[in-house]
């Protein structure tokens, strides 16, 4: 009977997620922590987006890209968090269908890829602002800004569509446990009843496009940025230039550092335990830190947020 269940592919296939712990008390504690991080992340990113939207003084390329990043982070968090919270609360009864898993994976890759590419675009914006300040408004025209933002979305969409379709053409034998708290690529591939070497190679190529190339462009931009900042004579000017870049750099290191540990390592060395811990960082902690890092370290945004809050309270 067990053999029949394993080989049966005719019925609807459902997956369930591996719980973080077998102890209900620990699961409840994780649920509270995840819920708190998700709510702070959503409220922070939505606040940044709305503040930039309504504050005319923030209608510049730098804040345009930051608003786009905040919107991406909001949708990215919402792709993972609600189902994760449900599965943490009731692991065995929270099932996800094969199409549902495919949809979650698509949006995770799409929004995550667009996020990483947008961070490279933001580095280019800072490079132009600091290394070519006199030509900044000419180079970073609104037409170019919109094209760069849409380009990051389009590239993320194409990569996500290709990878998701390729993976979900694989045969899956029966309902099984995903060794993760969401439909991540490698854990789902490991449940397939077929050779996945081509799919793993495709994942590596996508990871290089999304992670390695943008990170190299960011690194190159910052080499020129640091060289330009060091040439600034006044200490105040150097401090201002560094402060506008440091927030972006902190976010970049968090995002790329954690995702590279998962997607740029050989699939044979993949560990589900390590994967769960590292994935918590870039699915819950990074979207939470982004609004905190930008709002705390950016005086213009901080002042605009205070003004927006005062207007809201006076209504």
């Amino acid at each position: 009977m067990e053999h029949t269940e394993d080989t049966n592919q005719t019925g609807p296939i459902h997956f369930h997620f591996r719980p973080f712990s077998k102890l209900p008390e620990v699961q409840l504690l994780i649920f509270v922590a995840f819920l708190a991080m998700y709510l702070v992340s959503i409220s922070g990113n939505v606040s940044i987006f709305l503040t930039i939207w309504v504050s005319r003084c923030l209608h510049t390329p730098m804040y345009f890209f930051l608003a786009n990043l905040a919107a991406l982070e909001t949708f990215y968090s919402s792709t993972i968090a609600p189902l994760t919270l449900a599965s943490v609360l009731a692991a065995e009864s929270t099932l996800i269908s094969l199409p549902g898993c495919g949809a979650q994976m698509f949006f995770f890759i799409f929004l995550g890829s667009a996020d990483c590419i947008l961070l490279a675009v933001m580095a280019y914006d800072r490079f132009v602002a600091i290394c070519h300040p006199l030509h900044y408004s000419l180079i970073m025209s609104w037409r170019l800004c919109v094209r760069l933002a849409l380009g990051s979305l389009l590239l993320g969409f194409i990569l996500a569509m290709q990878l998701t379709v390729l993976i979900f053409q694989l045969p899956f034998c029966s309902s099984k446990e995903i060794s993760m708290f969401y439909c991540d690529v490698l854990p789902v591939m490991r449940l397939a009843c077929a050779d996945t070497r081509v799919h793993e190679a495709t994942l590596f190529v996508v990871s290089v496009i999304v992670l390695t190339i943008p990170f190299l462009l960011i690194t190159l931009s910052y080499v020129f940025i640091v060289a330009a900042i060091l040439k600034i004579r006044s200490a105040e000017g150097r401090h201002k230039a560094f402060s506008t870049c440091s927030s972006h750099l902190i976010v970049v290191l968090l995002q790329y550092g954690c995702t590279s540990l998962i997607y740029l390592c050989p699939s044979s060395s993949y560990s589900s335990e390590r994967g769960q811990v590292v994935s918590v960082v870039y699915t819950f902690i990074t979207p939470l830190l982004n609004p905190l890092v930008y709002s705390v370290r950016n005086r213009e945004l901080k002042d605009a947020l205070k003004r927006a809050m005062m207007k809201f309270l006076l209504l």
Side-chain angles (χ1 to χ4, degrees):
M1 188 71 187
E2 188 178 323
H3 175 74
T4 308
E5 184 183 284
D6 285 343
T7 54
N8 177 31
Q9 297 185 48
T10 57
I13 295 170
H14 290 85
F15 301 118
H16 67 92
F17 302 107
R18 179 177 294 178
F20 285 88
S21 171
K22 291 182 179 179
L23 298 171
E25 298 84 0
V26 176
Q27 287 287 93
L28 184 61
L29 194 65
I30 291 168
F31 172 81
V32 172
F34 280 7
L35 180 62
M37 284 191 283
Y38 176 57
L39 292 175
V40 172
S41 164
I42 290 293
S43 57
N45 281 302
V46 169
S47 297
I48 285 177
F49 179 83
L50 292 176
T51 301
I52 293 169
W53 181 273
V54 300
S55 303
R56 294 188 68 84
C57 62
L58 299 182
H59 289 183
T60 63
M62 182 177 84
Y63 292 107
F64 168 75
F65 292 128
L66 181 54
N68 277 270
L69 183 70
L72 277 176
E73 294 285 12
T74 301
F75 290 116
Y76 176 76
S77 297
S78 299
T79 299
I80 305 295
L83 195 61
T84 298
L85 290 167
S87 68
V88 169
L89 213 54
E92 293 300 321
S93 59
T94 304
L95 299 176
I96 187 167
S97 65
L98 198 62
C101 192
Q104 189 186 48
M105 186 185 290
F106 167 77
F107 283 108
F108 168 71
I109 300 168
F110 165 41
L111 297 167
S113 300
D115 198 312
C116 289
I117 297 161
L118 189 63
L119 286 172
V121 169
M122 291 172 78
Y124 174 70
D125 172 66
R126 291 300 82 211
F127 160 73
V128 176
I130 291 169
C131 299
H132 303 283
L134 299 177
H135 300 100
Y136 178 72
S137 56
L138 189 67
I139 296 169
M140 297 305 293
S141 64
W142 280 112
R143 180 179 288 184
L144 179 65
C145 291
V146 171
R147 284 179 177 177
L148 288 170
L150 289 176
S152 65
L153 287 172
L154 182 62
L155 185 55
F157 179 87
I158 292 167
L159 294 172
M161 183 61 77
Q162 289 181 334
L163 191 57
T164 307
V165 168
L166 186 68
I167 289 168
F168 283 87
Q169 284 177 341
L170 287 165
F172 293 92
C173 299
S174 64
S175 303
K176 291 180 181 176
E177 180 184 79
I178 297 174
S179 61
M180 187 60 72
F181 54 91
Y182 66 99
C183 289
D184 198 8
V185 184
L186 280 170
V188 171
M189 268 201 288
R190 296 209 161 174
L191 300 180
C193 310
D195 184 9
T196 60
R197 281 177 292 183
V198 172
H199 304 75
E200 287 172 13
T202 306
L203 173 63
F204 184 76
V205 170
V206 169
S207 301
V208 168
I209 294 169
V210 169
L211 296 172
T212 308
I213 295 172
F215 186 72
L216 289 173
L217 291 172
I218 290 169
T219 305
L220 188 64
S221 296
Y222 273 98
V223 167
F224 287 112
I225 286 168
V226 170
I229 289 173
L230 293 174
K231 289 177 185 175
I232 298 172
R233 292 182 180 179
S234 71
E236 188 183 342
R238 283 197 302 272
H239 176 73
K240 188 179 178 182
F242 269 123
S243 67
T244 59
C245 296
S246 59
S247 305
H248 178 253
L249 205 52
I250 291 166
V251 172
V252 164
L253 292 172
L254 272 171
Q255 183 81 6
Y256 283 90
C258 294
T259 47
S260 297
L261 283 173
I262 300 294
Y263 298 106
L264 292 178
C265 289
S267 57
S268 56
S269 67
Y270 177 78
S271 157
S272 57
E273 289 77 16
R274 185 189 69 181
Q276 271 204 332
V277 173
V278 175
S279 296
V280 168
V281 176
Y282 61 78
T283 54
F284 279 92
I285 297 174
T286 305
L288 163 73
L289 288 179
N290 283 0
L292 292 176
V293 166
Y294 280 110
S295 58
V296 168
R297 297 187 65 85
N298 189 303
R299 185 176 292 176
E300 279 183 315
L301 182 59
K302 201 191 303 183
D303 291 344
L305 276 166
K306 284 177 183 175
R307 287 195 299 272
M309 284 296 292
M310 288 300 291
K311 280 183 182 178
F312 179 75
L313 292 170
L314 290 170
L315 286 175

